């Protein structure tokens, strides 16, 4: 407004000078100089204070997309929003004026462009991110009598769903996630399966299996709060003895088929802390550890979290 009024007054004086030849040239020159000095100030004002960065730069199915948002001088205390399709993902503060949302991708989705709408501080930015395809191997599993066709109990499903739905604002983890068991990886993330000759539609291996020896230690891959402890005796038929850890900000881990549990719900654990032992409880063909990593309720590949710091 000040710049516009200043320019308007100068224009009026310039017009007047063409009629009144007695107007001093000095006044005209001063107006011209004032206009050129004022306009750069207006042009220098920030045009777009909503800055967005998405990583990784070349994501593939199974990756976790990190959407970081920088707000210059936030006008209110409300967090920005990140929407894709019909879903809106929560954002959490990770630094002053800086927020982040995690967007999971899975093997059941199609590769292609993901469109995002980021809103914050009264501004909106639309982004398009290309998610590349990824081939997942197919595996055939034959469950022995008594294991085939095992159905999860309603209680089991309810407790596990509650774990995966957690969106605790506090961020517990810091730095790289570590291996929860020293055994070799026997089954990678995303494998499609036939169970006893029948293809499991809409199924993919939601985690990584470690072929650790029975009784070998299972440790927390990152800091967090123990949000789930379940046992076969409580009705955990498929998961077996299980521990779930809330790492915060929509990130959770689940550890299945344990022979022993060393923590209780509510415990705060550190990376590398003992939480249980490898077993073969629940729907399992032999001793191994299943580690599943979930982001906003969807199973993502844990491997990138072990190789690239997500802070």
């Amino acid at each position: 407004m000040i710049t516009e009024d200043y320019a308007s007054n100068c224009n009026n004086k310039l017009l007047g000078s063409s009629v009144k030849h007695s107007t001093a040239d000095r006044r005209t020159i001063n107006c011209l100089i004032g206009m050129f000095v004022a306009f750069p100030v207006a042009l220098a004002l920030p045009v777009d204070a909503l800055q967005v960065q998405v990583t990784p730069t070349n994501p593939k199915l199974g990756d976790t997309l990190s959407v970081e948002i920088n707000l210059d001088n936030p006008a209110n205390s409300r967090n920005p929003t990140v929407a894709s399709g019909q879903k809106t993902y929560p954002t959490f503060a990770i630094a002053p004026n800086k927020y982040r949302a995690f967007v999971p991708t899975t093997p059941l989705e199609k590769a292609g462009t993901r469109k995002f709408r980021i809103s914050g501080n009264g501004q909106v930015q639309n982004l398009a991110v290309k998610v590349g395809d990824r081939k997942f191997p197919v595996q055939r599993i034959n469950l022995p009598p008594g294991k085939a066709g095992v159905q999860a109990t309603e209680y089991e499903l309810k407790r596990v769903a509650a774990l995966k739905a957690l969106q605790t604002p506090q961020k517990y983890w810091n730095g790289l996630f570590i291996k929860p068991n020293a055994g070799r990886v026997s089954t990678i993330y995303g494998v499609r399966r036939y169970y006893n000759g029948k293809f499991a539609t809409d199924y993919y291996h939601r985690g990584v299996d470690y072929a650790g020896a029975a009784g070998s230690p299972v440790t927390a891959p990152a800091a967090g709060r123990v949000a789930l402890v379940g046992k076969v005796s409580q009705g955990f038929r498929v998961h077996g003895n299980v521990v779930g850890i809330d790492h915060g900000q929509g990130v959770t881990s689940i550890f299945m088929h344990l022979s022993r549990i060393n923590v209780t719900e509510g415990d705060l654990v550190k990376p590398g802390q003992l939480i249980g032992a490898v077993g073969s409880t629940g729907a399992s063909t032999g001793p191994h550890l299943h580690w599943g990593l979930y982001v906003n309720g969807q199973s993502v590949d844990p491997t990138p979290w072990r190789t690239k710091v997500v802070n």
Side-chain angles (χ1 to χ4, degrees), residues 74-225:
N76 53 58
S77 59
R78 294 178 58 186
N79 288 11
T81 61
V82 175
S84 180
Q86 300 300 314
K87 295 183 179 180
T88 299
Y89 298 92
T91 60
F92 299 98
I94 57 175
N97 301 342
K98 188 173 184 179
Y99 302 82
R100 179 185 54 215
F102 285 133
V103 179
T105 67
T106 77
L108 299 183
E109 301 173 16
K110 292 183 178 180
T113 301
R114 301 287 193 279
K115 295 182 179 180
F116 296 98
R117 179 182 175 86
I118 297 94
S119 304
N121 220 24
Q123 297 178 337
V124 176
Q125 186 172 142
N126 294 304
L127 293 178
V129 178
K130 185 177 181 180
V131 179
D133 200 3
R134 178 179 170 186
K135 300 300 181 183
F136 297 96
V138 176
Q139 191 178 56
R140 295 179 182 273
I141 298 291
N142 291 310
L143 294 174
K147 296 279 188 179
V150 173
Q151 298 295 317
T153 65
E154 183 178 350
Y155 175 74
E156 175 181 12
L157 293 175
K158 183 178 179 179
R159 290 297 312 279
V160 172
L163 168 72
K164 297 173 183 177
L166 290 173
Q167 293 177 341
T168 307
Q170 183 174 356
K171 174 180 171 290
Y172 292 106
W173 85 90
N174 183 40
L176 292 173
F177 280 49
I178 61 177
K179 289 179 60 175
N181 183 259
R184 66 177 178 83
V185 173
S186 55
T187 306
I188 64 172
Y189 167 87
V191 171
R192 310 304 300 274
R193 279 180 175 172
Y194 284 86
Y195 281 103
N196 291 4
K198 184 178 180 179
F199 184 70
T201 306
D202 295 332
Y203 168 88
Y204 65 95
H205 189 234
R206 290 168 167 80
V208 174
D209 285 352
Y210 292 87
S216 61
V218 174
T219 58
R225 179 182 63 86

Side-chain angles (χ1 to χ4, degrees), residues 214-260:
S216 61
V218 174
T219 58
R225 179 182 63 86
V226 177
L228 170 66
V229 169
K231 299 179 181 179
V232 175
S233 60
Q234 297 172 320
F236 283 78
R237 297 176 183 169
V238 172
H239 295 79
N241 297 329
V242 61
V243 169
I245 297 178
D246 175 17
H247 301 294
Q249 300 190 347
V251 183
T252 59
S253 283
I254 192 166
F255 307 89
M256 297 165 50
H257 313 307
L258 304 175
S259 62
R260 185 182 71 249

Side-chain angles (χ1 to χ4, degrees), residues 13-14 21 27 33 51-52 57 62 133 136 139 141 159 179 188 203 208 211 267 273 279 282-283 285 288:
K13 292 175 182 177
L14 287 172
H21 297 285
R27 183 179 300 175
I33 294 174
Q51 303 172 36
V52 182
T57 54
D133 200 3
F136 297 96
Q139 191 178 56
I141 298 291
R159 290 297 312 279
K179 289 179 60 175
I188 64 172
Y203 168 88
V208 174
D267 287 352
Q273 182 174 331
T285 58
H288 73 285

